[in-house]
Amino acid sequence: MLVSIAGHATPIKELLWLLSLIAGIIICKLVYQLTGAISPFFFTGYVKLDCQKKLEWNNRGFSTFHALLVTAASLYLLLESDLFCDGAQDELIINRTSAFSDTILGISTGYFLADLAMIFYYFPALGGTEYVLHHGLSMFAIVQSLLSGQAQIYIFMVLFTESTTPFVNLRWYLDVAGQKNSQLYVINGVALFLGWLVARILLFLFFFHHMFNHFHQIKNVYPLGFYSLLTVPPILALLNIVWFWKITKGLIKTLRKARHSQ
């Protein structure tokens, strides 16, 4: 039996969590292999890449898939579904869950576990300390929310920030493909800047505003979860600000280069 937090776990839920986690790992493996199989048809230079570049190329394939999956799920749960709507249910927003939300969190845990394992195994080829910190904190928060059934609304707000990942990965793909001077690279850079500003800066301001307005509910979260809510999001927000500064400098450099090449 898995660890039960706040008396939330049941045998059926535990089975769902375990199957979802395993599914997340398997999906990562399948998409990793699929990325390697189809990439030569879209980029002939793929076969000439060294082993390390191919490794990261395929790794970014399943990170993009995960980002698209959790972004779509977060949009549905936060905007379309009434799961987290004020007044829609008698249950406190902080305690609301569903089989679908649990499944997505389980799959996401499997992704972060698989990606973190690859980062450690090939360290630092797939990312440095900041990636380990980001993935570790994300997985720590998701697992707590999954096992306790609490604060899922905030987990999905944070998971929506993964919507910027496809732009980050496309920038890397274009760089490796020798397309840094292309119009697509410039357009993607602008889209990444705007997406990061909305999804990772402004959204976090709304995140903290929502927490402040619902703090009377947050106080009902079990102790470790409560203090995690007060510490983990600010750390992630700080990481996002640091990365946003780097993205802004990169965009300015790209726009200047594009202007001079005209």
Side-chain angles (χ1 to χ4, degrees), residues 59-80:
N59 176 272
R60 288 179 182 270
F62 73 72
S63 78
T64 299
F65 180 85
H66 168 262
L68 294 173
L69 174 65
V70 297
T71 296
S74 297
L75 279 174
Y76 169 75
L77 288 168
L78 294 171
L79 300 180
E80 293 295 325

Side-chain angles (χ1 to χ4, degrees), residues 49-216:
L49 297 177
D50 58 42
C51 293
Q52 183 172 317
K53 280 289 193 297
K54 287 181 179 178
L55 172 72
E56 186 168 358
W57 184 289
N58 298 345
N59 176 272
R60 288 179 182 270
F62 73 72
S63 78
T64 299
F65 180 85
H66 168 262
L68 294 173
L69 174 65
V70 297
T71 296
S74 297
L75 279 174
Y76 169 75
L77 288 168
L78 294 171
L79 300 180
E80 293 295 325
S81 169
D82 64 353
L83 181 62
F84 300 120
C85 290
D86 279 312
Q89 301 179 23
D90 293 332
E91 187 76 56
L92 294 177
I93 289 180
I94 205 72
N95 292 329
R96 294 180 192 175
T97 67
S98 69
F100 178 68
S101 66
D102 278 3
T103 299
I104 294 299
L105 293 184
I107 291 174
S108 191
T109 302
Y111 157 74
F112 280 114
L113 189 62
D115 201 30
L116 195 57
M118 288 190 67
I119 290 174
F120 275 127
Y121 188 81
Y122 295 104
F123 192 85
L126 295 177
T129 306
E130 68 274 15
Y131 283 89
V132 174
L133 179 61
H134 174 270
H135 280 35
L137 288 175
S138 297
M139 191 165 61
F140 174 70
I142 292 172
V143 169
Q144 282 194 86
S145 183
L146 189 61
L147 296 181
S148 68
Q150 296 181 317
Q152 286 197 6
I153 182 174
Y154 296 117
I155 297 299
F156 282 106
M157 284 187 189
V158 174
L159 281 178
F160 180 75
T161 64
E162 289 294 307
S163 58
T164 61
T165 298
F167 300 108
V168 174
N169 289 341
L170 180 56
R171 182 176 66 172
W172 185 88
Y173 284 136
L174 292 171
D175 187 9
V176 172
Q179 298 295 316
K180 288 191 69 172
N181 296 323
S182 67
Q183 186 177 12
L184 179 58
Y185 188 88
V186 176
I187 294 173
N188 181 72
V190 174
L192 174 59
F193 172 82
L194 294 176
W196 201 281
L197 176 63
V198 173
R200 291 187 183 252
I201 304 299
L202 298 181
L203 179 60
F204 262 90
L205 294 179
F206 174 78
F207 178 99
F208 294 126
H209 174 72
H210 192 281
M211 280 186 59
F212 178 78
N213 286 341
H214 294 80
F215 197 73
H216 61 287

